[in-house]
Amino acid sequence: MLKHLLSDDLPRSRFLTVLLVLILFGLAFAPFITSGARPLNTAATICVYIVLVASYDLLLGYTGIVSFAHTMFFGIGAYGIGLGLASAGPFWWIAFSGLLCALLLTILLALIVGLFALRVRAIFYAMITLAVASSFAVLASQLSDLTGGEDGKTFSVPALLSPSFHLFENEVFGRIIDGKVITYYLVFGVALMLFLFLLRVVNSPFGRVLQAIRENEFRAEALGYQTIYYRIAANCLAALVAALAGALMALWLRYVGPKTMLGFEVMTDILLIVVIGGMGTMYGAVVGAALFMLAQNYLKTLMLQASSALVGVPFLAEALHPDRWMLWLGVMFVVSVYCFPAGIVGKLRST
Amino acid sequence: MVQAQPPMSEPLLTLNAMHTHIGQFHILQGVDMVVPRGGVSALLGRNGAGKTTTLRTIMGLWPASQGSIRFDGKEIGKLTTPAIAQSGIAYVPESMAIFSALTVKENLYLAAREGEMDSVRLEWIFGFFPALKKFWNYPAGNLSGGQKQMVAIARAIVEPRKLLLIDEPTKGLAPAIVHNLIAAFRELKTTDTTILLVEQNFSFVSALADHVAVMDDGRIVHAGAMRDLAEDQKLQQRLLGLSLDSHQ
Amino acid sequence: MHPSATTATPVTATAPDALPQVPHDIAPLLLVPLLALLMLPLVGSLPIWITLTVAGLAMGMMIFIMASGLTLIFGLMGVLNFGHGAFVSVGAFTATLVFLPLRGWLEVDSLLLNLGVLGLAILLAMLVTGILGWAFERVIIQPVYGQHLKQILITTGGMIVAEQLINVIWGAEQIPLPLPASFRGAFLLGDAAIEKYRLIAVIVGLTVFAVMFLVLNRTKIGLLIRAGVENREMVEALGYRIRRLFVLVFAAGSALAGLGGVMWGLYKETLTAAMGGETMVMIFIVIIIGGLGSVGGCFIGSLLMALVVNYAGFLAPKLALVSNILLMITVLLWRPAGLYPVAQH
């Protein structure tokens, strides 16, 4: 049963299994083992990023495509649901039709960019997606009538999901089951399903062809596979899942904005997580996203203490400033690419 | 101390059990070949037999996974391509690989590694490739196929080298130009340069070569004097018949 | 059939002594003047058109300076440095080491003194970015040589780290970089206002282009670079160590990015650590438009893109936001490998 759910792709490391189970339980019971808004926010962000990063892993780790347009699709999903709800009111059917429009736009753009640039080499695709995605982000932040510009837009969600909705009169295990908690479980459930779906995809015959293409495109072609179609299909699939992740993010935050949804920082976060977590493993997305978000939220406090302890030491005090935490992640990233190409998951599996 | 000189009888180039892998493909499966000093040695065989790979491996463009390559008394199997070139080997690939954005003059100029080109030698080259003199300052990319081949060969000999590796120079050329090339190679044979020629064109080879080796499936299957092979039609048929038919 | 009957099929039927045609591919060269002329009636006013055109040319020259090194680096070795923008930022920030202490000299309205300080800043910036480029190639690029995926990841990582280090060294606040006194303002050409600094940018850009052109066409190293862009294997087979050539080109390309950074920083008049990353998008677009590896194409592409941005900004501001992409798509539909495709890649 479990084996089937995981598509026969088991963690294959005792420590990794323990880690994954811990993350799963942590996320599943996050509303009850923590209190307050911040931990729940972290948990929801982890769920969304697991899906976002896993879908990117389908591209980078399994197909060998470097794309810088993943945030664009993430943003389209978010804006689709967000702008719909913001303009037409908090109704379920609006949310769904907004999402549907976003998915259509996603698949259209992914197809066009794919057809345009995937025929050429990986390097070309990376450049073109960077250019397209950054233009898209500029567009979203400048068309303020439609998108709310740099400030973005906040919106109300359907009543069931809004914080003022209470499912029960009383607290359950110390937490009031309000719309926020329901939204959390919506995010968690959809994220879990999407992750299992991606796991299924990479372990399907389709996924194996993708890996064959990554290993040796020439040979895959010689075996009769139209590699270009497989790559475009992978590209579209990854884009669709990213858009769904974006929709979850928007639903959770009840806000869409260019920095949160389309910024280049989001793209670098994805890259850092997938590489440090482990490319081509899927589980790397889970471990990476969880560690990254926990670090982002709690490591900074630690760095602040270290930095204030080192006030006066010229370089170190600056380098340990909480705003510089990206410096250390960047260094970790570069070291991982050289020394642990399969990231944390690969390291755990090999020991 | 006296430097140990290789005995003059030692061949210029000796390949010993040379293996080459390209990716996961095992292309050369133990090539043993000897190229004597002087004259023209021809390497024949059907398409895909491993002739080009042999030349590229000698040149260091593919690494040999096993075996040894001795050139002029030294092991060169582990050297880099530039070091191999500097030891006195020039290479004319099948694609000719002329620098089409550069003029004929600049193509040759780059081949003369130490400073300027020797004008006497240039005149000698112009003697059998007069077209080069004519198009001296033209971009090489605008020349005809035959003229490009002349640039490629001239680039290999603009400095005296011990060994020339030439891959299918007659491919795609008109008969008139092939005759021109034969004359040029005859002229080259009068110098100290040794030539290792990969060819499909048997009449071209039999007009020039002194020694011959035949490859099949990544191994040498025949080696001997060209004269013997040229006179023995049955042997030709057995070694090359298939390849030449399929080449038609 | 007798084997000797096989002769190669004649493919080249050209008479051996016919003079070869020299087909100069001039269509791309005409694009820039054509675009400018076409826009004149649309803009409708000659002075505004002149101002826009000069602004576009100046911006294009600066982008060219930043992009030219990257396209050569890619052309020669197929290495695409996603961290190239870091050298732009580092160049600009390094220049403050000269500009800030000599602030007094910049406030003096003397062209000579101002140019002297600018020259000094450029020299230092190019020196620092050149050395960093050399080190970057040795430490970061060489281990992942020939592995495109890792190259993209590593150089992107290098970019992140470099940006953060700039913040550590120079602080996270943006640094104002006022123009030297004599570069400020504009002079009038008829009714058209031409900003002085833009003129300086055009002169610097043209100088860089001319020097590159001379080096690539008249020196042995330049010939080797062009030959290597076309076929690096053959350059090695002629006995040259192409790695050495590449390190040199990488350092020179990084130094050019540094120079471009100084010019760009003065143009923007503020410096942020992210400025290099922001220019990367433009740089990528122009080297794609030009044809990866082609310096001439990169030059035309830079001018073309900058002019389009400026004209579009005036004629249809909303369109200007995506004009880069539209231009790139148009060019690639016309020539899928860019204006001047380079054979090897």
Side-chain angles (χ1 to χ4, degrees):
Chain A
M1 173 63 192
L2 188 66
K3 225 174 141 185
H4 182 68
L5 258 181
L6 297 179
S7 313
D8 270 347
D9 187 358
L10 301 173
R12 298 205 306 278
S13 148
R14 189 169 302 160
F15 190 67
L16 180 61
T17 313
V18 172
L19 207 57
L20 289 171
V21 168
L22 270 178
I23 292 171
L24 178 69
F25 277 87
L27 291 175
F29 300 110
F32 305 105
I33 51 184
T34 64
S35 59
R38 195 172 154 207
L40 200 58
N41 193 36
T42 307
T45 315
I46 290 174
C47 291
V48 171
Y49 267 70
I50 286 174
V51 176
L52 183 61
V53 174
S55 64
Y56 192 70
D57 196 21
L58 173 64
L59 275 188
L60 181 67
Y62 286 88
T63 323
I65 298 173
V66 185
S67 162
F68 285 95
H70 218 58
T71 40
M72 177 170 82
F73 299 119
F74 181 68
I76 290 174
Y79 271 93
I81 215 166
L83 296 184
L85 290 174
S87 57
F91 308 108
W92 281 107
W93 66 273
I94 296 286
F96 279 114
S97 38
L99 182 62
L100 198 67
C101 291
L103 292 182
L104 285 175
L105 181 63
T106 296
I107 203 145
L108 192 73
L109 269 176
L111 262 179
I112 293 175
V113 178
L115 280 172
F116 201 67
L118 270 182
R119 284 176 301 164
V120 210
R121 304 160 342 121
I123 226 158
F124 205 61
Y125 189 70
M127 285 194 285
I128 295 218
T129 48
L130 182 67
V132 170
S134 77
S135 291
F136 192 87
V138 171
L139 209 59
S141 64
Q142 295 297 316
L143 297 178
S144 26
D145 298 341
L146 180 68
T147 62
E150 290 285 0
D151 298 333
K153 274 197 172 165
T154 50
F155 52 87
S156 313
V157 288
L160 177 68
L161 303 180
S162 73
S164 52
F165 178 84
H166 288 212
L167 190 60
F168 306 112
E169 289 289 316
N170 301 319
E171 290 186 356
V172 178
F173 298 112
R175 172 83 81 164
I176 297 167
I177 307 298
D178 57 4
K180 207 68 191 164
V181 174
I182 297 175
T183 314
Y184 177 77
Y185 277 108
L186 178 71
V187 169
F188 173 77
V190 175
L192 185 64
M193 279 190 311
L194 284 174
F195 179 77
L196 292 177
F197 167 71
L198 285 170
L199 205 56
R200 175 77 27 115
V201 168
V202 298
N203 288 293
S204 69
F206 172 74
R208 290 190 208 297
V209 176
L210 292 183
Q211 289 166 65
I213 293 172
R214 181 196 59 190
E215 289 310 318
N216 190 338
E217 177 170 5
F218 184 70
R219 206 169 76 116
E221 208 140 79
L223 287 172
Y225 293 111
Q226 294 275 335
T227 55
I228 170 78
Y229 295 126
Y230 279 90
R231 292 172 135 187
I232 288 178
N235 194 40
C236 290
L237 197 63
L240 281 176
V241 176
L244 287 170
L248 291 180
M249 193 81 240
L251 218 49
W252 172 256
L253 293 175
R254 286 171 287 139
Y255 163 79
V256 281
K259 216 172 151 47
T260 329
M261 310 302 185
L262 291 165
F264 191 68
E265 290 77 12
V266 181
M267 196 62 240
T268 40
D269 287 355
I270 298 175
L271 265 176
L272 290 169
I273 295 173
V274 77
V275 167
I276 294 173
M279 282 186 278
T281 61
M282 279 296 152
Y283 293 113
V286 181
V287 177
L291 291 181
F292 184 89
M293 289 302 155
L294 289 175
Q296 189 172 39
N297 282 287
Y298 300 102
L299 185 75
K300 284 185 176 178
T301 327
L302 219 67
M303 285 177 73
L304 184 64
Q305 287 166 357
S307 177
S308 12
L310 287 170
V311 167
V313 185
F315 182 80
L316 272 180
E318 272 300 317
L320 285 174
H321 189 277
D323 285 350
R324 298 284 80 76
W325 81 298
M326 263 299 196
L327 172 65
W328 303 104
L329 272 179
V331 171
M332 244 174 93
F333 173 86
V334 173
V335 171
S336 326
V337 177
Y338 283 130
C339 309
F340 320 105
I344 295 174
V345 168
K347 193 78 197 145
L348 288 179
R349 279 179 174 172
S350 67
T351 47
Chain B
M1 209 179 112
V2 182
Q3 186 85 35
Q5 285 289 327
M8 277 315 282
S9 57
E10 187 186 337
L12 182 62
L13 180 75
T14 310
L15 308 181
N16 198 349
M18 185 172 84
H19 288 254
T20 302
H21 287 80
I22 301 175
Q24 53 219 336
F25 302 105
H26 193 174
I27 308 285
L28 299 186
Q29 311 185 359
V31 173
D32 296 293
M33 190 170 73
V34 165
V35 175
R37 280 173 201 273
V40 175
S41 295
L43 183 57
L44 306 178
R46 62 180 178 84
N47 282 327
K51 307 185 298 291
T52 297
T53 308
T54 304
L55 293 195
R56 287 180 61 86
T57 308
I58 296 170
M59 207 61 217
L61 294 167
W62 295 122
S65 37
Q66 263 182 63
S68 85
I69 308 173
R70 279 185 75 78
F71 172 69
D72 202 21
K74 286 190 299 276
E75 173 66 35
I76 60 164
K78 294 280 173 280
L79 297 184
T80 60
T81 300
I84 292 168
Q86 281 167 20
S87 71
I89 305 182
Y91 177 48
V92 181
E94 190 182 336
S95 65
M96 302 181 272
I98 57 157
F99 305 123
S100 57
L102 273 52
T103 63
V104 173
K105 178 188 176 184
E106 288 165 344
N107 267 276
L108 268 56
Y109 171 64
L110 288 186
R113 277 196 310 276
E114 311 297 332
E116 290 305 309
M117 290 173 279
D118 176 5
S119 60
V120 177
R121 202 168 166 87
L122 271 185
E123 285 306 322
W124 172 68
I125 293 173
F126 292 154
F128 47 84
F129 290 151
L132 297 188
K133 189 168 191 175
K134 190 165 181 176
F135 302 132
W136 192 232
N137 284 314
Y138 273 80
N142 295 337
L143 302 181
S144 72
Q147 290 158 350
K148 281 181 186 164
Q149 190 59 265
M150 291 174 195
V151 175
I153 294 170
R155 192 173 57 183
I157 60 175
V158 69
E159 265 194 16
R161 315 277 183 143
K162 292 177 191 139
L163 177 64
L164 300 187
L165 308 177
I166 307 185
D167 199 350
E168 297 212 35
T170 67
K171 194 176 189 184
L173 298 187
I177 298 172
V178 174
H179 283 297
N180 196 335
L181 283 188
I182 291 177
F185 280 115
R186 289 223 164 102
E187 180 66 37
L188 266 180
K189 281 180 74 169
T190 64
T191 65
D192 293 339
T193 305
T194 305
I195 298 173
L196 175 57
L197 188 66
V198 161
E199 255 307 339
Q200 300 262 11
N201 182 339
F202 193 80
S203 63
F204 181 74
V205 171
S206 52
L208 283 171
D210 307 297
H211 315 281
V212 66
V214 180
M215 279 193 96
D216 198 23
D217 279 338
R219 287 192 186 83
I220 300 289
V221 292
H222 171 86
M226 186 68 220
R227 205 184 308 116
D228 298 341
L229 183 64
E231 282 166 2
D232 188 342
Q233 294 219 0
K234 272 204 180 119
L235 189 62
Q236 280 175 34
Q237 203 69 35
R238 183 167 67 79
L239 290 172
L240 303 163
L242 188 79
S243 75
L244 294 168
D245 285 340
S246 65
H247 185 233
Q248 286 291 297
Chain C
M1 205 189 91
H2 195 269
S4 64
T6 45
T7 44
T9 36
V11 173
T12 46
T14 340
D17 53 351
L19 275 174
Q21 295 291 309
V22 185
H24 277 301
D25 185 9
I26 55 166
L29 294 177
L30 296 176
L31 284 178
V32 171
L34 215 66
L35 174 77
L37 282 179
L38 218 72
M39 287 299 145
L40 181 53
L42 283 177
V43 172
S45 141
L46 186 66
I48 295 178
W49 178 81
I50 291 177
T51 304
L52 286 176
T53 308
V54 172
L57 289 179
M59 185 180 161
M61 293 292 178
M62 287 186 274
I63 296 171
F64 166 72
I65 297 172
M66 294 186 273
S68 55
L70 189 63
T71 202
L72 259 192
I73 290 167
F74 181 81
L76 192 58
M77 297 306 259
V79 168
L80 191 56
N81 180 10
F82 273 73
H84 192 70
F87 295 108
V88 171
S89 304
V90 170
F93 276 87
T94 306
T96 61
L97 297 180
V98 173
F99 284 140
L100 296 185
L102 297 181
R103 186 172 280 159
W105 291 9
L106 292 176
E107 289 306 318
V108 182
D109 191 3
S110 147
L111 187 64
L112 216 62
L113 199 58
N114 290 170
L115 279 179
V117 176
L118 177 65
L120 194 64
I122 286 177
L123 207 68
L124 182 70
M126 290 182 76
L127 198 72
V128 169
T129 47
I131 292 171
L132 281 178
W134 179 84
F136 193 78
E137 202 278 336
R138 282 286 146 120
V139 179
I140 302 275
I141 305 273
Q142 271 197 6
V144 290
Y145 201 75
Q147 300 163 272
H148 284 302
L149 199 101
K150 281 195 172 179
Q151 266 170 22
I152 299 176
L153 295 178
I154 283 279
T155 54
T156 308
M159 178 91 194
I160 296 171
V161 173
E163 259 181 31
Q164 295 295 324
L165 280 177
I166 288 175
N167 281 332
V168 170
I169 296 171
W170 277 283
E173 299 300 312
Q174 59 180 32
I175 299 180
L177 192 66
L179 275 175
S182 60
F183 299 174
R184 287 173 208 157
F187 59 84
L188 290 176
L189 189 79
D191 287 332
I194 295 177
E195 282 183 31
K196 290 179 191 164
Y197 183 66
R198 288 184 174 157
L199 214 61
I200 292 175
V202 170
I203 293 169
V204 173
L206 281 178
T207 311
V208 168
F209 183 66
V211 169
M212 275 184 96
F213 187 82
L214 284 178
V215 168
L216 286 176
N217 286 284
R218 295 289 153 79
T219 66
K220 184 156 192 173
I221 284 193
L223 290 178
L224 277 175
I225 291 170
R226 283 167 64 212
V229 166
E230 205 175 322
N231 192 325
R232 79 178 82 104
E233 238 177 27
M234 198 59 219
V235 171
E236 293 210 284
L238 289 178
Y240 297 97
R241 272 178 280 181
I242 202 141
R243 287 288 181 100
R244 274 193 179 179
L245 195 64
F246 182 57
V247 176
L248 194 79
V249 170
F250 202 98
S254 306
L256 280 173
L259 165 61
V262 179
M263 300 300 293
W264 192 252
L266 281 170
Y267 177 66
K268 293 275 172 193
E269 299 197 56
T270 43
L271 304 184
T272 61
M275 64 182 280
E278 287 156 15
T279 57
M280 277 314 275
V281 175
M282 289 189 297
I283 291 174
F284 279 147
I285 291 178
V286 302
I287 68 174
I288 290 175
I289 289 178
L292 294 173
S294 161
V295 174
C298 172
F299 187 66
I300 296 175
S302 306
L303 296 185
L304 214 54
M305 192 193 85
L307 282 174
V308 166
V309 167
N310 274 278
Y311 291 135
F314 177 76
L315 295 170
K318 292 280 183 213
L319 193 69
L321 300 174
V322 286
S323 63
N324 287 346
I325 298 290
L326 293 180
L327 176 71
M328 180 174 79
I329 292 173
T330 317
V331 169
L332 291 186
L333 286 177
W334 176 41
R335 293 194 170 178
L339 294 176
Y340 287 115
V342 175
Q344 187 168 198
H345 307 288

